Amino acid sequence: DTQGPEALLTCSAHRSAREARATRRSRSVELATMAPGAKWLGLLAVVAAATVRGTSAVAESTHVALPAGSTWANLAWGFDDGGRDSTDGVDVVLVDIDIDQDELDALKGNAIIMCYISAGTIEPYRDDYKSNKAAWDALALGRMSNWDEAWLDIRQRDAVIALMIGRLQQAKAKGCQAVEPDNIDCFDNRDCWGRMDGVSRGRDVFQAQLDYNAALVAETHKLGMAMVVKNAAGVVEAQHEIFDGAVTENCVQYDECDIYNEYFTSRGKAHFATEYDGRAANCGKAYPGMQMKYCESRPGNYLCRDSVDEWQGCGPTTPKPTPSPT
């Protein structure tokens, strides 16, 4: 019953959240001393050396820092037509990799540009897929539930990374300074791992996911760009050191926020969060250093209602961390 990418419908709306994503258990976290929340976002010399359960990935480069508490605008996803948000005075602007060059150029110099890509699926409307269908289709597992995309077989790491390098090079050429890689949680989605021969549970491909993520981050850093973890709470404990921040959807709903606080904001890295239930009350659940946005979604759908003008920010309820006493 596996459907190939050719059967997928072209869709401009990006995947927003995965209903199949398992809810992590609640963690009781003792907050570490918050790192200084200085608003500088200059270049940071980084040597990222990560050893993840036997898999080593080393990258040396210079890329932007994404400090905890950095403000952001989401122009990449959340609505049928991409994202809607105010960019006034923000530190980071998230855009889709296929944004018109003129639009991206107009944003440069005022904020860090972070670009959305899917790092785990085929999106059949992308030009790089259309120009090289055979290579992409050879790695397809089948259609993703509820979205017009097809999961990629990350067990074939080198082949998938080869395709992603082209996508990362495109991001670099356009002027992206950071990358948001979606769909790096095959192990947590039955419609991905369930299509793999010989695999009976998501944990069977967890190491393959870690290996793939490590390679993806290393290639991104080689090109001088930062990379955040997108959702995929299950990899955070093992891989927080190699990622430069986090972007999440519905961490309040799924009771996942604590792990991002423990491993990112409390260690000085940004956490950009969104919630789709439209309740401003969620802002009270945000912790220092976390920058949360929310909208009211359609019933049973992780896209904001058409009547919503733009993402709503929590503002002063998510202050930058207080610098440690010296």
Side-chain angles (χ1 to χ4, degrees), residues 11-290:
C11 176
S12 62
H14 302 299
R15 186 188 74 94
S16 300
R18 292 288 170 261
E19 294 177 83
R21 186 154 50 96
T23 302
R24 289 184 62 91
R25 63 181 177 84
S26 177
R27 295 178 179 228
S28 175
V29 179
E30 179 180 354
L31 298 182
T33 302
M34 293 293 185
K39 200 170 183 178
W40 62 269
L41 288 169
L43 292 176
L44 172 68
V46 174
V47 177
T51 301
V52 184
R53 299 190 184 183
T55 299
S56 178
V58 179
E60 297 185 11
S61 185
T62 301
H63 57 264
V64 292
L66 302 170
S70 300
T71 56
W72 68 307
N74 184 354
L75 303 181
W77 43 262
F79 296 81
D80 273 333
D81 55 355
R84 304 174 193 168
D85 210 346
S86 171
T87 61
D88 293 344
V90 300
D91 299 321
V92 179
V93 178
L94 175 62
V95 300
D96 186 81
I97 192 174
D98 285 341
I99 186 175
D100 289 342
Q101 190 65 53
D102 289 346
E103 293 181 46
L104 189 148
D105 290 343
L107 296 169
K108 290 179 180 178
N110 299 314
I112 285 177
I113 307 300
M114 180 160 59
C115 293
Y116 169 98
I117 68 170
S118 176
T121 66
I122 292 172
E123 299 163 298
Y125 53 89
R126 300 288 187 187
D127 288 340
D128 57 356
Y129 167 73
K130 293 177 182 178
S131 65
N132 193 14
K133 288 184 178 181
W136 289 86
D137 289 355
L139 299 169
L141 290 171
R143 183 169 178 164
M144 173 183 283
S145 297
N146 302 319
W147 299 92
D148 297 326
E149 303 175 32
W151 286 102
L152 292 166
D153 190 349
I154 57 167
R155 296 173 302 173
Q156 300 185 58
R157 182 185 61 190
D158 292 346
V160 179
I161 287 293
L163 294 174
M164 290 302 152
I165 287 174
R167 189 162 283 183
L168 293 171
Q169 290 172 338
Q170 176 190 347
K172 180 67 174 180
K174 294 192 79 162
C176 307
Q177 297 159 283
V179 176
E180 176 206 15
D182 207 355
N183 306 314
I184 55 171
D185 53 359
C186 174
F187 71 95
D188 212 10
N189 286 275
R190 181 180 290 274
D191 58 338
C192 181
W193 60 260
R195 297 177 183 271
M196 296 176 173
D197 292 339
V199 174
S200 59
R201 57 179 185 164
R203 296 296 300 183
D204 294 341
V205 295
F206 186 67
Q207 185 60 52
Q209 187 76 68
L210 296 181
D211 294 347
Y212 173 70
N213 293 354
L216 185 68
V217 173
E219 294 297 338
T220 304
H221 285 168
K222 284 180 186 178
L223 290 170
M225 298 182 292
M227 177 165 273
V228 297
V229 64
K230 170 67 176 291
N231 297 327
V235 307
V236 167
E237 185 173 0
Q239 296 196 303
H240 63 93
E241 291 183 352
I242 65 174
F243 285 105
D244 302 298
V247 173
T248 62
E249 296 166 290
N250 287 346
C251 76
V252 171
Q253 177 181 336
Y254 292 117
D255 196 19
E256 295 175 340
C257 298
D258 284 353
I259 195 169
Y260 297 99
N261 187 15
E262 179 180 2
Y263 288 107
F264 286 104
T265 55
S266 68
R267 303 178 190 220
K269 296 180 181 181
H271 177 192
F272 307 109
T274 58
E275 295 291 326
Y276 288 96
D277 69 0
R279 291 183 297 173
N282 283 329
C283 293
K285 300 176 182 179
Y287 50 78
M290 176 191 197

